[in-house]
Amino acid sequence: MGKLTGAHIVWDWNGTLFHDNDAIIGATNAAFGELGLAPITMEQYRALYCVPVPKFYERLLGRLPTDAEWEVMDETFHRYYTEHRVGCGLTEGAVELLAEWRSAGHSQSILSMYVHDELLPLVRGFGIEAHFLRVDGRTGPSGGSKAEHMERHLTALVGVEAARTVVIGDAADDAVAAMQVGARAVLYTGGSHSRASLEVAGVPVVDTLAEAVAEAERIAA
């Protein structure tokens, strides 16, 4: 990646670089259908969604799902999502922003809670893998927080300082994960959370990825 200048972005994938809102809401409603729950709209999803995911289901069920219910819903969600993600693409402007950040001598990586073995082929399929020092997806069970994965991710990035790192994501959990390792965060409103739910995280909230990158450059300087 040539000579690096110190500033580093850890990108989220789903709902941030990868614009998969339609597949996400469809998969969520398919999972709800397994428990006889009524479908929800994207606006309802963005207002209620939270991590860990079982807590999101609790908001709709009025209780945490049982282990058996969680397994059924999780399997249904991922099966539906895998079938429908093929119709989704990168967020508008993402390709240009990744290339510009790299050309400026900065580094970047991806940390996603999407399963690792499926994430890598997706990133490669869009022809953007070369922009990243590292691409990490989830290797353990689903439903947890990104914070526990962020420490391992940054530790594996040789020469990257947490103090010069900015996490760009679409969920409050991205800000929590950044705080866990001493990094900063910028949250993007185009994914799974509403602006109101993101603003409680106390970090910059923006409406476009271009604004997110500009803010990252400012606070990582």
Side-chain angles (χ1 to χ4, degrees), residues 41-113:
T41 65
M42 191 67 207
E43 289 70 27
Q44 290 172 312
Y45 177 92
R46 284 162 50 82
L48 294 172
Y49 183 74
C50 63
V51 174
V53 179
K55 295 291 290 184
F56 168 53
Y57 291 144
E58 181 182 26
R59 292 181 174 185
L60 294 149
L61 284 170
R63 60 174 175 81
L64 282 170
T66 66
D67 289 345
E69 288 172 336
W70 165 251
E71 287 182 14
V72 169
M73 296 174 80
D74 191 49
E75 189 280 329
T76 301
F77 177 94
H78 286 97
R79 174 165 38 83
Y80 182 101
Y81 180 85
T82 299
E83 292 172 357
H84 291 79
R85 72 184 183 200
V86 295
C88 303
L90 296 177
T91 300
E92 183 178 357
V95 172
E96 293 79 10
L97 289 168
L98 293 173
E100 289 167 6
W101 184 259
R102 182 185 181 193
S103 295
H106 306 312
S107 60
Q108 53 199 329
S109 59
I110 292 175
L111 176 61
S112 173
M113 294 299 284

